[in-house]
Structures are given as structure tokens and as C-alpha cells.
Amino acid sequence: MAWTHAETAWRDALFGAMLPRSAGIAGRPGFADLDLTAFWPRFDAAAPWTLRWGLRASVWLLTWLPGPLGFGWRPVSRLPSDAKDRYVAGLLESDRWLLRQLADTAKIVLCFAYFQDEAIRRRLDVAPP
């Protein structure tokens, strides 16, 4: 099942919150800097349905959870940068198993996407798969 326009925007905003651009000396690219046009079709073809649906559920829930978790009643894409950082850190360190699992699912797929980008692999001097 293809991602809707809204789901794609939510996914990208969530991933952007989880991996923002680095302002440090290394200048690590963020999620928004990646060229993922080839990644998503490969992911949809190769990932088991449980991961594909788990990611979709994670995106839906994590996009709209800032409100119930005390970050204001708006999606993650509309949080200020510092609130996004605190939100993501809180998810990953939560004592609630489900919140950590949702965040970990998104984080794992984010890592797949990040390290499939050819520019990132060149920076790390890693051969493409």
C-alpha cells in the first residue's frame, strides 16, 4: 500500500526530527538532505509486511502523540526545534515499552534510509550494496 501525501509528510517530518542537520564541525547531513527516491520503492519491495505496517503505525502515532505527552496539541512537524529534540529523546528513553518500540521502529528504518544514500556512503567511504 502506497504512502499517502499526508503520511509521507508526517514520516519525513518525524524522521527529520529524529535526525536533524548537524551544525557541528562535521556538518553531518540531516534527513532532509537525503535523496531517497530509490530507497522507498526498494524498502516497500524488500521489507516484510510487519515492518512496513509497523512503520506506518509508528508514523501515525508518533506524529500525533506530542499533544497527549504534554508538548501542545499539534503534530510533531509543528513543534519548535527544542521541543522536537525533547519529544524524540523522551520517546527513546520512555519507561513505556510501546513508546520505545514505536520510536525504535522509526529509528531503525531511518538508519536504513540514511545509510542507503550514496552521498552518505561516499562520506563514510563505504561501498554501495
Side-chain angles (χ1 to χ4, degrees):
M1 179 177 193
W3 290 80
T4 66
H5 179 71
E7 289 173 327
T8 300
W10 298 343
R11 179 195 66 206
D12 293 353
L14 177 64
F15 282 9
M18 294 180 105
L19 186 64
R21 281 188 186 109
S22 171
I25 296 171
R28 176 187 43 78
F31 179 79
D33 300 315
L34 305 180
D35 176 13
L36 299 174
T37 52
F39 173 76
W40 291 114
R42 273 197 321 264
F43 175 80
D44 288 338
W49 71 269
T50 51
L51 179 56
R52 291 191 317 268
W53 283 96
L55 175 62
R56 181 164 285 178
S58 295
V59 167
W60 271 82
L61 290 167
L62 296 178
T63 293
W64 298 102
L65 270 175
L69 295 179
F71 288 89
W73 291 97
R74 52 190 161 193
V76 70
S77 62
R78 296 210 175 148
L79 293 175
S81 292
D82 62 325
K84 284 180 188 176
D85 293 344
R86 286 183 285 116
Y87 175 64
V88 169
L91 292 171
L92 294 169
E93 298 168 1
S94 176
D95 57 353
R96 297 178 183 140
W97 176 85
L98 181 59
L99 292 181
R100 285 193 322 273
Q101 287 303 115
L102 292 168
D104 283 345
T105 298
K107 185 173 72 171
I108 289 167
V109 176
L110 171 57
C111 287
F112 291 160
Y114 193 74
F115 292 109
Q116 286 296 307
D117 183 90
E118 288 185 36
I120 300 299
R121 295 179 73 79
R122 277 194 305 273
R123 279 185 82 155
L124 299 173
D125 197 28
V126 176

